Amino acid sequence: GFTELVRDKALWNRCADAAKTWLSVTGLNNGFSHIELFIDANSTLRPIEINPRISGMSGYVNKTAKAAHLQSMPDLLVDA
């Protein structure tokens, strides 16, 4: 099943802390990144993908930004 992280603040914080650690270990300390993780049966966080890239143009993050009248990741890169 899927868990809505926004409703589980403790899980959200664990995922955010793990993501920060993984980014630091890989040397990705500045810029956009894409992280996917899996939570196993023992509640251990397992990284699936850690890459220095923006989300896809039609990805959830960009759609949400546009809906909120904010800049998408590609917009931010163009303005940089």
Side-chain angles (χ1 to χ4, degrees):
F2 294 95
T3 301
E4 292 184 36
L5 297 180
V6 267
R7 293 192 181 177
D8 187 339
K9 199 67 166 170
L11 181 56
W12 175 263
N13 289 334
R14 281 184 59 219
C15 290
D17 289 343
K20 290 174 190 175
T21 298
W22 297 333
L23 288 170
S24 179
V25 167
T26 58
L28 300 172
N29 298 314
N30 189 15
F32 295 108
S33 65
H34 179 87
I35 298 174
E36 294 180 18
L37 61 89
F38 178 79
I39 303 170
D40 70 16
N42 296 318
S43 296
T44 302
L45 303 178
R46 307 276 184 192
I48 296 171
E49 179 183 352
I50 303 170
N51 279 304
R53 67 174 179 89
I54 63 172
S55 66
M57 288 293 291
S58 61
Y60 176 77
V61 172
N62 293 317
K63 288 180 180 178
T64 303
K66 290 294 187 183
H69 305 288
L70 300 171
Q71 289 183 301
S72 66
M73 288 182 191
D75 293 335
L76 290 169
L77 285 174
V78 169
D79 290 345

Coordinates of all heavy atoms in Angstrom, one line a residue:
G1 N 0.8 -1.2 0.0 CA 0.0 0.0 0.0 C 0.9 1.3 0.0 O 2.1 1.2 0.1
F2 N 0.2 2.4 -0.1 CA 0.9 3.7 -0.1 C 0.6 4.4 1.2 O -0.5 4.3 1.7 CB 0.4 4.5 -1.3 CG 0.9 3.9 -2.6 CD1 0.0 3.1 -3.4 CD2 2.1 4.1 -3.1 CE1 0.4 2.5 -4.6 CE2 2.6 3.6 -4.3 CZ 1.7 2.8 -5.0
T3 N 1.5 5.2 1.6 CA 1.3 6.1 2.8 C 1.3 7.5 2.4 O 2.2 7.9 1.6 CB 2.4 5.8 3.8 OG1 2.4 4.4 4.2 CG2 2.2 6.7 5.1
E4 N 0.4 8.3 2.8 CA 0.4 9.7 2.6 C 1.4 10.4 3.6 O 1.1 10.5 4.8 CB -0.9 10.4 2.7 CG -1.9 9.9 1.6 CD -3.2 10.6 1.7 OE1 -3.2 11.8 2.0 OE2 -4.2 10.0 1.4
L5 N 2.6 10.8 3.2 CA 3.6 11.3 4.1 C 3.2 12.5 4.8 O 3.5 12.7 5.9 CB 4.9 11.5 3.3 CG 5.5 10.3 2.7 CD1 6.8 10.6 2.0 CD2 5.8 9.2 3.7
V6 N 2.4 13.4 4.2 CA 2.0 14.6 4.8 C 1.1 14.4 6.1 O 1.1 15.2 7.0 CB 1.2 15.5 3.9 CG1 2.1 16.5 3.2 CG2 0.4 14.8 2.9
R7 N 0.5 13.2 6.1 CA -0.3 12.9 7.3 C 0.4 12.2 8.4 O 0.0 12.2 9.5 CB -1.5 12.0 6.9 CG -2.5 12.8 6.0 CD -3.7 12.0 5.8 NE -4.6 12.8 4.9 CZ -5.7 12.4 4.5 NH1 -6.2 11.2 4.9 NH2 -6.4 13.1 3.7
D8 N 1.6 11.7 8.1 CA 2.4 11.0 9.0 C 3.7 11.8 9.2 O 4.7 11.6 8.5 CB 2.7 9.6 8.6 CG 3.5 8.8 9.6 OD1 4.1 9.3 10.5 OD2 3.4 7.5 9.5
K9 N 3.7 12.8 10.1 CA 4.8 13.7 10.2 C 6.1 13.0 10.6 O 7.2 13.4 10.1 CB 4.4 14.8 11.3 CG 5.2 16.0 11.2 CD 5.0 16.8 10.0 CE 5.5 18.2 10.1 NZ 5.5 18.9 8.8
A10 N 6.0 12.0 11.4 CA 7.3 11.3 11.9 C 7.9 10.6 10.7 O 9.1 10.6 10.5 CB 6.9 10.3 13.0
L11 N 7.1 10.0 9.8 CA 7.6 9.3 8.6 C 8.1 10.3 7.6 O 9.2 10.1 7.0 CB 6.5 8.4 8.0 CG 6.9 7.7 6.7 CD1 8.1 6.8 7.0 CD2 5.7 6.9 6.2
W12 N 7.4 11.4 7.5 CA 7.9 12.5 6.6 C 9.3 13.0 7.1 O 10.2 13.1 6.2 CB 6.9 13.7 6.7 CG 7.4 14.9 5.9 CD1 8.1 16.0 6.4 CD2 7.4 15.1 4.5 NE1 8.4 16.8 5.4 CE2 8.0 16.3 4.2 CE3 6.8 14.3 3.4 CZ2 8.0 16.8 2.9 CZ3 6.9 14.9 2.2 CH2 7.5 16.1 1.9
N13 N 9.5 13.2 8.4 CA 10.8 13.6 8.9 C 11.9 12.6 8.7 O 13.0 12.9 8.4 CB 10.6 14.0 10.4 CG 9.8 15.3 10.6 OD1 9.8 16.1 9.7 ND2 9.2 15.4 11.7
R14 N 11.5 11.3 8.9 CA 12.5 10.2 8.6 C 12.9 10.2 7.1 O 14.1 10.1 6.8 CB 11.9 8.9 8.9 CG 11.9 8.6 10.4 CD 11.4 7.1 10.7 NE 12.2 6.2 10.0 CZ 11.8 5.0 9.4 NH1 10.5 4.8 9.4 NH2 12.6 4.2 8.9
C15 N 12.0 10.4 6.2 CA 12.3 10.4 4.8 C 13.1 11.6 4.5 O 14.1 11.5 3.7 CB 11.0 10.4 4.0 SG 10.1 8.8 4.1
A16 N 12.8 12.8 5.0 CA 13.5 14.0 4.7 C 15.0 13.9 5.2 O 15.9 14.3 4.6 CB 12.8 15.2 5.3
D17 N 15.1 13.4 6.4 CA 16.5 13.2 7.0 C 17.3 12.2 6.2 O 18.5 12.4 6.0 CB 16.4 12.7 8.5 CG 15.9 13.8 9.4 OD1 15.9 15.0 9.0 OD2 15.4 13.4 10.5
A18 N 16.7 11.1 5.8 CA 17.4 10.1 5.0 C 17.8 10.7 3.6 O 18.9 10.6 3.2 CB 16.5 8.9 4.7
A19 N 16.9 11.5 3.0 CA 17.2 12.1 1.7 C 18.4 13.1 1.9 O 19.3 13.1 1.1 CB 16.0 12.9 1.2
K20 N 18.4 13.9 2.9 CA 19.5 14.8 3.2 C 20.8 14.1 3.4 O 21.9 14.5 2.9 CB 19.2 15.7 4.4 CG 18.1 16.7 4.2 CD 17.8 17.4 5.5 CE 16.5 18.2 5.4 NZ 16.1 18.8 6.6
T21 N 20.8 13.0 4.1 CA 22.0 12.1 4.3 C 22.5 11.6 3.0 O 23.7 11.6 2.7 CB 21.7 11.0 5.4 OG1 21.3 11.6 6.6 CG2 22.9 10.1 5.6
W22 N 21.6 11.0 2.3 CA 22.0 10.3 1.0 C 22.5 11.4 0.0 O 23.5 11.1 -0.6 CB 20.8 9.7 0.3 CG 20.2 8.5 1.1 CD1 20.9 7.7 2.0 CD2 18.9 8.0 1.1 NE1 20.1 6.7 2.6 CE2 18.8 6.9 2.0 CE3 17.7 8.4 0.5 CZ2 17.7 6.2 2.3 CZ3 16.6 7.6 0.7 CH2 16.6 6.6 1.6
L23 N 21.9 12.6 0.0 CA 22.5 13.6 -0.9 C 23.9 14.1 -0.5 O 24.7 14.3 -1.3 CB 21.5 14.8 -0.9 CG 20.2 14.6 -1.7 CD1 19.3 15.8 -1.5 CD2 20.5 14.4 -3.2
S24 N 24.0 14.2 0.8 CA 25.3 14.6 1.4 C 26.4 13.6 1.1 O 27.5 13.9 0.6 CB 25.2 14.8 2.9 OG 26.5 15.2 3.4
V25 N 26.1 12.3 1.3 CA 27.0 11.2 1.0 C 27.4 11.1 -0.5 O 28.6 10.9 -0.8 CB 26.4 9.8 1.5 CG1 27.2 8.7 0.9 CG2 26.3 9.8 3.0
T26 N 26.5 11.4 -1.3 CA 26.8 11.4 -2.8 C 27.4 12.7 -3.3 O 27.8 12.8 -4.4 CB 25.5 11.1 -3.6 OG1 24.6 12.1 -3.3 CG2 25.0 9.7 -3.3
G27 N 27.5 13.7 -2.4 CA 28.1 15.0 -2.8 C 27.2 15.9 -3.5 O 27.6 16.9 -4.1
L28 N 25.9 15.6 -3.6 CA 24.9 16.4 -4.2 C 24.3 17.4 -3.2 O 23.3 17.2 -2.6 CB 23.8 15.6 -4.8 CG 24.2 14.6 -5.8 CD1 23.0 13.6 -6.2 CD2 24.7 15.3 -7.1
N29 N 25.1 18.5 -3.0 CA 24.7 19.5 -2.0 C 24.1 20.8 -2.5 O 23.8 21.7 -1.7 CB 26.0 19.8 -1.1 CG 26.5 18.6 -0.4 OD1 25.8 17.8 0.2 ND2 27.8 18.4 -0.5
N30 N 24.0 20.9 -3.8 CA 23.5 22.2 -4.3 C 22.7 21.9 -5.6 O 23.2 21.2 -6.5 CB 24.6 23.1 -4.6 CG 24.1 24.5 -4.9 OD1 23.0 24.8 -4.7 ND2 25.0 25.3 -5.5
G31 N 21.5 22.3 -5.7 CA 20.7 22.1 -7.0 C 19.6 21.2 -6.8 O 19.3 20.7 -5.7
F32 N 19.0 20.8 -7.9 CA 17.8 19.9 -7.9 C 18.3 18.5 -7.8 O 19.4 18.1 -8.2 CB 17.0 20.1 -9.2 CG 16.4 21.4 -9.3 CD1 16.8 22.3 -10.3 CD2 15.3 21.8 -8.5 CE1 16.2 23.6 -10.4 CE2 14.7 23.0 -8.7 CZ 15.1 23.9 -9.6
S33 N 17.4 17.7 -7.2 CA 17.7 16.2 -7.2 C 16.4 15.5 -7.2 O 15.3 16.0 -7.0 CB 18.4 15.8 -5.9 OG 17.6 16.1 -4.8
H34 N 16.5 14.2 -7.6 CA 15.3 13.3 -7.7 C 15.6 12.1 -6.8 O 16.6 11.4 -7.1 CB 15.0 12.9 -9.1 CG 13.9 12.0 -9.2 ND1 12.6 12.4 -9.4 CD2 13.8 10.7 -9.2 CE1 11.8 11.4 -9.5 NE2 12.5 10.3 -9.4
I35 N 14.8 11.9 -5.8 CA 15.0 10.7 -4.9 C 13.8 9.9 -4.9 O 12.7 10.4 -4.7 CB 15.4 11.2 -3.5 CG1 16.7 12.0 -3.5 CG2 15.5 10.0 -2.5 CD1 17.0 12.6 -2.2
E36 N 14.0 8.6 -5.0 CA 12.9 7.6 -4.8 C 13.3 6.7 -3.7 O 14.5 6.3 -3.7 CB 12.5 6.9 -6.1 CG 12.0 7.8 -7.2 CD 11.7 7.0 -8.4 OE1 11.5 5.8 -8.4 OE2 11.5 7.7 -9.5
L37 N 12.4 6.3 -2.9 CA 12.8 5.4 -1.8 C 11.7 4.3 -1.6 O 10.5 4.5 -2.0 CB 13.1 6.1 -0.5 CG 12.0 6.9 0.1 CD1 11.2 6.1 1.1 CD2 12.6 8.1 0.8
F38 N 12.0 3.3 -0.9 CA 11.1 2.2 -0.6 C 11.2 2.0 0.9 O 12.3 2.1 1.5 CB 11.6 0.9 -1.3 CG 10.7 -0.3 -1.0 CD1 9.5 -0.5 -1.6 CD2 11.1 -1.2 -0.1 CE1 8.7 -1.6 -1.4 CE2 10.4 -2.3 0.2 CZ 9.1 -2.5 -0.4
I39 N 10.1 1.8 1.5 CA 10.0 1.5 3.0 C 9.7 0.0 3.1 O 8.6 -0.5 2.7 CB 8.9 2.3 3.7 CG1 9.2 3.8 3.4 CG2 8.9 2.0 5.2 CD1 8.1 4.7 3.9
D40 N 10.6 -0.8 3.6 CA 10.4 -2.2 3.6 C 9.5 -2.7 4.8 O 9.0 -1.8 5.6 CB 11.8 -3.0 3.6 CG 12.6 -2.8 4.9 OD1 12.0 -2.4 5.9 OD2 13.8 -3.2 4.9
A41 N 9.3 -3.9 4.9 CA 8.4 -4.5 6.0 C 8.9 -4.2 7.4 O 8.1 -4.2 8.3 CB 8.3 -6.0 5.8
N42 N 10.2 -3.9 7.6 CA 10.7 -3.5 8.9 C 10.8 -2.0 9.1 O 11.4 -1.6 10.0 CB 12.1 -4.1 9.0 CG 12.1 -5.6 9.0 OD1 11.3 -6.3 9.6 ND2 13.1 -6.2 8.3
S43 N 10.2 -1.3 8.2 CA 10.2 0.2 8.2 C 11.5 0.8 7.9 O 11.8 2.0 8.3 CB 9.6 0.7 9.5 OG 8.2 0.4 9.7
T44 N 12.4 0.1 7.3 CA 13.7 0.6 6.9 C 13.6 1.3 5.6 O 12.9 0.8 4.7 CB 14.7 -0.6 6.8 OG1 14.8 -1.3 8.0 CG2 16.1 -0.1 6.4
L45 N 14.2 2.5 5.5 CA 14.1 3.3 4.3 C 15.2 2.8 3.4 O 16.4 2.7 3.8 CB 14.3 4.8 4.6 CG 13.3 5.4 5.6 CD1 13.6 6.8 5.8 CD2 11.9 5.2 5.1
R46 N 14.9 2.5 2.1 CA 15.8 2.0 1.2 C 15.8 2.9 -0.1 O 14.8 3.0 -0.7 CB 15.4 0.6 0.7 CG 15.2 -0.4 1.8 CD 16.5 -1.0 2.3 NE 16.3 -2.0 3.3 CZ 17.3 -2.5 4.0 NH1 18.5 -2.2 3.8 NH2 17.0 -3.5 4.9
P47 N 17.0 3.5 -0.4 CA 17.0 4.3 -1.6 C 16.9 3.5 -2.9 O 17.5 2.4 -3.0 CB 18.4 5.0 -1.5 CG 19.2 4.1 -0.7 CD 18.3 3.4 0.2
I48 N 16.1 3.9 -3.8 CA 15.9 3.3 -5.1 C 16.6 4.1 -6.2 O 17.3 3.6 -7.0 CB 14.4 3.2 -5.5 CG1 13.7 2.2 -4.5 CG2 14.3 2.7 -6.9 CD1 12.2 2.2 -4.6
E49 N 16.5 5.4 -6.1 CA 17.1 6.3 -7.1 C 17.5 7.6 -6.4 O 16.7 8.2 -5.7 CB 16.1 6.6 -8.2 CG 16.6 7.5 -9.3 CD 15.6 7.9 -10.3 OE1 14.5 7.3 -10.4 OE2 15.9 8.8 -11.1
I50 N 18.7 8.0 -6.7 CA 19.2 9.3 -6.2 C 20.0 9.9 -7.4 O 21.0 9.4 -7.8 CB 20.2 9.2 -5.0 CG1 19.5 8.5 -3.9 CG2 20.7 10.6 -4.6 CD1 20.5 8.1 -2.8
N51 N 19.4 11.0 -8.0 CA 20.0 11.6 -9.2 C 20.0 13.1 -9.2 O 19.0 13.7 -8.7 CB 19.3 11.1 -10.5 CG 19.8 9.7 -10.9 OD1 20.9 9.5 -11.1 ND2 18.8 8.8 -11.0
P52 N 21.0 13.7 -9.8 CA 21.0 15.2 -9.8 C 20.2 15.7 -11.1 O 20.8 16.0 -12.1 CB 22.5 15.5 -10.0 CG 23.1 14.3 -10.7 CD 22.2 13.2 -10.2
R53 N 18.9 15.7 -11.0 CA 18.1 16.1 -12.1 C 16.8 16.6 -11.6 O 16.4 16.4 -10.5 CB 17.8 14.9 -13.0 CG 17.0 13.8 -12.4 CD 16.6 12.7 -13.4 NE 15.8 11.6 -12.9 CZ 14.5 11.6 -12.9 NH1 13.8 12.7 -13.3 NH2 13.8 10.6 -12.4
I54 N 16.1 17.4 -12.5 CA 14.8 17.9 -12.2 C 13.8 16.8 -12.5 O 14.1 15.8 -13.2 CB 14.5 19.1 -13.0 CG1 14.5 18.9 -14.5 CG2 15.5 20.2 -12.6 CD1 14.0 20.1 -15.3
S55 N 12.6 17.0 -12.0 CA 11.5 16.0 -12.4 C 11.1 16.2 -13.8 O 11.5 17.2 -14.5 CB 10.3 16.2 -11.5 OG 9.7 17.5 -11.7
G56 N 10.4 15.3 -14.4 CA 9.9 15.4 -15.8 C 9.0 16.6 -15.9 O 8.4 17.1 -15.0
M57 N 9.0 17.1 -17.2 CA 8.2 18.3 -17.5 C 6.8 18.1 -17.1 O 6.1 19.1 -16.6 CB 8.3 18.6 -19.0 CG 9.6 19.1 -19.4 SD 10.0 20.8 -18.7 CE 8.8 21.8 -19.5
S58 N 6.2 17.0 -17.2 CA 4.8 16.8 -16.9 C 4.7 16.1 -15.5 O 3.6 15.5 -15.2 CB 4.1 15.9 -17.9 OG 4.7 14.7 -18.0
G59 N 5.7 16.1 -14.7 CA 5.7 15.5 -13.4 C 4.8 16.2 -12.4 O 4.5 17.4 -12.5
Y60 N 4.5 15.5 -11.3 CA 3.7 16.0 -10.2 C 4.1 17.3 -9.7 O 3.4 18.2 -9.5 CB 3.6 14.9 -9.2 CG 2.7 15.4 -8.0 CD1 1.4 15.4 -8.0 CD2 3.3 15.7 -6.8 CE1 0.6 15.8 -7.0 CE2 2.6 16.1 -5.7 CZ 1.2 16.2 -5.8 OH 0.5 16.6 -4.7
V61 N 5.4 17.5 -9.4 CA 6.0 18.7 -8.8 C 5.7 19.9 -9.7 O 5.3 20.9 -9.2 CB 7.5 18.5 -8.5 CG1 8.1 19.8 -8.1 CG2 7.7 17.5 -7.5
N62 N 6.0 19.7 -11.0 CA 5.8 20.9 -11.9 C 4.3 21.2 -12.1 O 3.9 22.4 -12.1 CB 6.4 20.6 -13.2 CG 7.9 20.5 -13.1 OD1 8.5 21.3 -12.4 ND2 8.5 19.5 -13.7
K63 N 3.4 20.2 -12.1 CA 2.0 20.5 -12.2 C 1.5 21.2 -11.0 O 0.7 22.1 -11.0 CB 1.2 19.1 -12.4 CG 1.4 18.5 -13.8 CD 0.6 17.2 -13.9 CE 0.8 16.6 -15.3 NZ 0.1 15.4 -15.4
T64 N 2.0 20.7 -9.8 CA 1.5 21.4 -8.5 C 2.0 22.8 -8.5 O 1.3 23.7 -8.1 CB 2.1 20.6 -7.3 OG1 1.7 19.2 -7.4 CG2 1.7 21.2 -6.0
A65 N 3.3 23.1 -8.9 CA 3.8 24.4 -8.9 C 2.9 25.3 -9.8 O 2.6 26.5 -9.4 CB 5.2 24.4 -9.4
K66 N 2.6 24.9 -11.0 CA 1.8 25.6 -12.0 C 0.4 25.9 -11.4 O -0.1 27.0 -11.5 CB 1.7 24.9 -13.3 CG 3.0 24.9 -14.1 CD 3.4 26.3 -14.5 CE 4.6 26.3 -15.4 NZ 5.1 27.6 -15.8
A67 N -0.2 24.9 -10.8 CA -1.5 25.1 -10.2 C -1.5 26.1 -9.1 O -2.5 26.8 -8.8 CB -2.0 23.7 -9.7
A68 N -0.4 26.2 -8.4 CA -0.3 27.2 -7.3 C 0.3 28.5 -7.7 O 0.6 29.4 -6.9 CB 0.6 26.6 -6.2
H69 N 0.4 28.7 -9.1 CA 0.9 29.9 -9.7 C 2.3 30.2 -9.3 O 2.7 31.3 -9.0 CB 0.0 31.1 -9.4 CG -1.4 30.9 -9.8 ND1 -1.8 30.8 -11.1 CD2 -2.5 30.6 -9.0 CE1 -3.1 30.6 -11.1 NE2 -3.6 30.4 -9.9
L70 N 3.1 29.1 -9.1 CA 4.5 29.2 -8.8 C 5.4 28.7 -10.0 O 4.8 28.2 -11.0 CB 4.9 28.3 -7.6 CG 4.1 28.6 -6.3 CD1 4.4 27.6 -5.3 CD2 4.6 30.0 -5.8
Q71 N 6.6 28.9 -10.0 CA 7.5 28.5 -11.0 C 7.8 27.0 -10.9 O 8.0 26.5 -9.9 CB 8.8 29.3 -11.0 CG 8.7 30.7 -11.4 CD 10.0 31.4 -11.4 OE1 10.7 31.4 -10.4 NE2 10.4 31.9 -12.6
S72 N 7.8 26.3 -12.1 CA 8.2 24.9 -12.1 C 9.7 24.8 -12.1 O 10.4 25.9 -12.2 CB 7.7 24.3 -13.4 OG 8.3 24.9 -14.5
M73 N 10.2 23.6 -12.0 CA 11.7 23.5 -12.0 C 12.3 24.0 -13.3 O 13.3 24.7 -13.2 CB 12.1 22.0 -11.7 CG 11.8 21.6 -10.3 SD 12.4 19.8 -10.1 CE 11.7 19.4 -8.5
P74 N 11.8 23.6 -14.4 CA 12.4 24.2 -15.7 C 12.3 25.7 -15.7 O 13.3 26.3 -16.2 CB 11.5 23.6 -16.8 CG 11.0 22.3 -16.2 CD 10.7 22.6 -14.7
D75 N 11.2 26.3 -15.2 CA 11.2 27.8 -15.1 C 12.3 28.3 -14.3 O 12.9 29.3 -14.6 CB 9.8 28.2 -14.6 CG 8.6 27.9 -15.4 OD1 8.8 27.8 -16.7 OD2 7.5 27.8 -14.9
L76 N 12.6 27.7 -13.2 CA 13.6 28.2 -12.3 C 15.0 28.1 -12.9 O 15.8 28.9 -12.7 CB 13.6 27.4 -10.9 CG 12.4 27.7 -10.0 CD1 12.3 26.7 -8.9 CD2 12.4 29.1 -9.5
L77 N 15.2 27.0 -13.7 CA 16.5 26.8 -14.4 C 16.7 27.9 -15.4 O 17.8 28.4 -15.6 CB 16.6 25.5 -15.0 CG 16.8 24.3 -14.1 CD1 16.8 23.0 -14.8 CD2 18.2 24.5 -13.4
V78 N 15.6 28.3 -16.2 CA 15.7 29.3 -17.2 C 16.0 30.6 -16.6 O 16.8 31.4 -17.1 CB 14.4 29.3 -18.0 CG1 14.3 30.5 -18.9 CG2 14.2 28.0 -18.8
D79 N 15.4 30.9 -15.4 CA 15.6 32.2 -14.8 C 17.0 32.3 -14.0 O 17.4 33.4 -13.6 CB 14.5 32.5 -13.7 CG 13.2 32.7 -14.4 OD1 13.2 33.0 -15.7 OD2 12.1 32.7 -13.8
A80 N 17.7 31.2 -13.9 CA 18.9 31.2 -13.1 C 20.0 31.9 -13.8 O 20.1 32.1 -15.0 CB 19.3 29.8 -12.8

